[in-house]
Structures are given as C-alpha cells and as structure tokens.
Amino acid sequence: MPPLTDNARGALFMMVSMAGFVCNDTMLKLASAELTLFQAIFLRGIMATGLIAALALLRGELFHRVERRNVPILGLRMLGEIGGTICFLTALFNMPIANATAILQAMPLAVTLAAALFLGERVGWRRYGAICAGFAGVLIIVRPGTEGFNAYAFWAVAAVFFMVLRDVTTRQLTRAMPSTFVAFSTALSITLVGGVVSLFQPWGTVTPASLGLLALAAVFLFTGYLFIVLAMRHGEVGFVSPFRYTILIWAIILGMVFFAEMPDAWMLAGSAIVVATGVYTFYRERIRARRTRAAEASPRPELAAPARPPAAQ
C-alpha cells in the first residue's frame, strides 16, 4: 500500500478533528440533562484548559509575552470565542444537533464576506454569489415563520457572527504568537466566564455520570483542536479545508444514535446548499492563491531584459 500524501494525511486529520468536535458537542448535550449551561462550560473548561496547558508546556509555548499590538486583538478574539461558545451551546441544548451544526457551517462564507468588508480582501462576483446562496441555505435550515421553526436557531446564527469575529481577529495576530498559547488563553477565558456566571445560578447535581461526560467532552475537544492544527500543517489549506464539512455526517449520525433526531428534507436540502457553496468558495480561494503565487514568481517588467531595437530598414 503506497504511503499517504501530505494532502491525504491532512484530509484524514481534518475528518478526525471534526469527529472530535461533534463528539464533544454530543457529550455536552447529554450532560445538559443534569447540568446548567454555564456549569457545564466551567467544569469542562477546567479539564480542557488543563489538557491544552499541558500541550503548550510541552511545546514551550505556555508562557509568552504578548506584544502590545496583539493585546486588543487577542481580547477581541476571546470575546468572539466566548460569545460563540455561549450562543452555540444554547442552541445545541435546545435543538437537534445536526441542525445547529449545519447552521454553523455558514461560517467560512461569513468569514470571506467579513474579510472583504473589513480587511479589504478582494472577492469576485462568483464568491459573492456563493455567499448569497449559502445564506439562503441557512434560511432553509432555519425556516423562520414555518411550523418547523425553532427560535433557538437564531442562537446558532448569532454564534456564526461571534466566530467570524474570532477568525477575522485571528488573522490579525502576528506570526510570533504561538497557536497553543492562543488556544490556552482563549480556553482559560471561557472557563473563567463560565465559573463566574455559574455562581449566580443554581447548580445541578454533579453526578459521576455527568462528570464523566464532561471529561469525555474535554478529551474530544482537545482532540479536535490538536488534529485541526495537524491538518493545516500537513496539507494545503485549500485542499484540506473542504473536509471540515464531514462534521455534518458525524452530527447526523450521532443525533440519530443518541437523541433519536431524524433530519428532515428541509434540513438536508439547506445543508447541501451550504456545503456546496462553501466548497466552491474554498475552490475559488485556492485558484486565487495559485494565481497570486504565479504572479509573484514571474519576473517583474522592470527586471526583464530590454527589448531589442528593430532592425535597420
């Protein structure tokens, strides 16, 4: 059997990462039967932050002096992660896991739009068209005003906007900022917020079963973070990124197995539109990156050899 290429290995790592994130969501949704939202965020956060801290310490990146220009950017990133976590888990605890996950898949489209509006990145009419079609797919999943409408879907939509803030600000961090330090500081901030808010709410009884679910959630969350880093380091971003949509397959399967949630035709149709437009957007970005590299590699006109004068007539 021939060895896997870097891209194939990166795609495999991406699929494992997505499975880890969905398994984390599943464990949290199961634990929500006994625990409150912020209680679950706090207890899971303690364990997940410990795992990330151990990895950062192993890599020598746990203690990092943050540059002054990175301080407000890192603060905005934390705000985006905190808001996205709270909004998504609120939706997750109150609606089918596959539906909440499907809405979240509009995030790459929203990031592309935000980068064009706020960072000045060039986006052509094809990608703008894909973004509009993708948001239409989200509306099909949400179905506002219909009998199958769940108001908690708006929490999932809000999570998309917070996570866009997280991803756009991440692009502004300097390369000197270690990724594991960013993950650790963000996980710590979410844990602290969960702990503080949970003090003002009645606590559910923490049973060995619920604590075990949260421990599994922390391990799965750590697995998701670890393998998505491995995926991006082993494969080309444009090739590996579309495999993030395998998260929908995991979400549908786990929703049926653990919660007896059967996706309806509207959810499947909307998800198909979101995935198709997302994959197309990744494809166009890959083409654009290839053209940019080709333009940078070609000699500049002023460095080219001077044209020969025309022969004397």
Side-chain angles (χ1 to χ4, degrees):
M1 182 177 178
L4 293 176
T5 64
D6 286 342
N7 277 343
R9 192 177 293 110
L12 179 62
F13 289 156
M14 178 63 79
M15 289 187 283
V16 172
S17 171
M18 295 301 104
F21 286 132
V22 174
C23 288
N24 160 71
D25 295 339
T26 302
M27 296 303 106
L28 283 175
K29 189 173 176 68
L30 289 170
S32 68
E34 298 180 354
L35 306 177
T36 64
L37 171 64
F38 289 99
Q39 184 182 359
I41 290 175
F42 175 61
L43 294 176
R44 181 201 63 170
I46 292 175
M47 293 178 275
T49 303
L51 290 172
I52 296 173
L55 177 62
L57 185 62
L58 184 65
R59 294 171 57 88
E61 298 176 346
L62 180 59
F63 304 102
H64 176 78
R65 184 176 180 180
V66 182
E67 299 176 22
R68 182 174 297 180
R69 72 173 298 271
N70 281 331
V71 172
I73 300 173
L74 187 60
L76 284 174
R77 188 189 188 280
M78 290 179 181
L79 176 63
E81 188 76 68
I82 292 168
T85 299
I86 293 172
C87 290
F88 178 69
L89 291 183
T90 300
L92 179 69
F93 287 4
N94 295 278
M95 65 183 298
I97 185 172
N99 292 50
T101 303
I103 293 172
L104 211 63
Q105 300 321 296
M107 192 178 65
L109 299 171
V111 168
T112 299
L113 179 61
L117 295 178
F118 302 110
L119 301 182
E121 293 190 11
R122 295 182 60 185
V123 174
W125 66 269
R126 294 181 182 87
R127 283 196 287 170
Y128 275 125
I131 290 169
C132 293
F135 288 158
V138 172
L139 287 176
I140 292 174
I141 299 171
V142 175
R143 281 173 289 161
T146 65
E147 184 179 350
F149 171 65
N150 185 332
Y152 284 101
F154 287 129
W155 285 89
V157 174
V160 171
F161 287 99
F162 275 111
M163 291 182 181
V164 167
L165 173 63
R166 177 199 66 188
D167 287 2
V168 169
T169 51
T170 300
R171 295 187 182 190
Q172 304 305 302
L173 292 171
T174 60
R175 293 185 178 272
M177 178 80 74
S179 57
T180 50
F181 175 80
V182 174
F184 166 72
S185 58
T186 304
L188 181 60
S189 66
I190 295 172
T191 303
L192 292 175
V193 169
V196 170
V197 177
S198 67
L199 293 176
F200 299 94
Q201 297 179 338
W203 269 52
T205 303
V206 183
T207 64
S210 60
L211 199 59
L213 289 172
L214 292 179
L216 284 173
V219 172
F220 285 130
L221 182 64
F222 175 75
T223 301
Y225 279 129
L226 176 62
F227 275 88
I228 200 169
V229 171
L230 291 174
M232 292 304 179
R233 287 185 173 178
H234 281 81
E236 299 174 15
V237 174
F239 180 87
V240 170
S241 293
F243 287 90
R244 64 175 288 125
Y245 292 113
T246 57
I247 195 171
L248 274 174
I249 300 174
W250 295 113
I252 291 172
I253 293 173
L254 293 177
M256 291 190 295
V257 171
F258 287 97
F259 309 108
E261 298 171 349
M262 299 297 296
D264 58 21
W266 289 105
M267 179 268 170
L268 294 175
S271 299
I273 294 173
V274 172
V275 171
T277 53
V279 170
Y280 178 76
T281 300
F282 284 129
Y283 167 73
R284 293 300 306 177
E285 289 177 353
R286 192 179 184 189
I287 290 178
R288 179 174 175 270
R290 189 182 299 126
R291 288 174 177 171
T292 301
R293 288 195 298 268
E296 291 174 350
S298 62
R300 291 182 298 176
E302 60 268 23
L303 298 180
R308 295 179 60 183
Q313 299 295 323

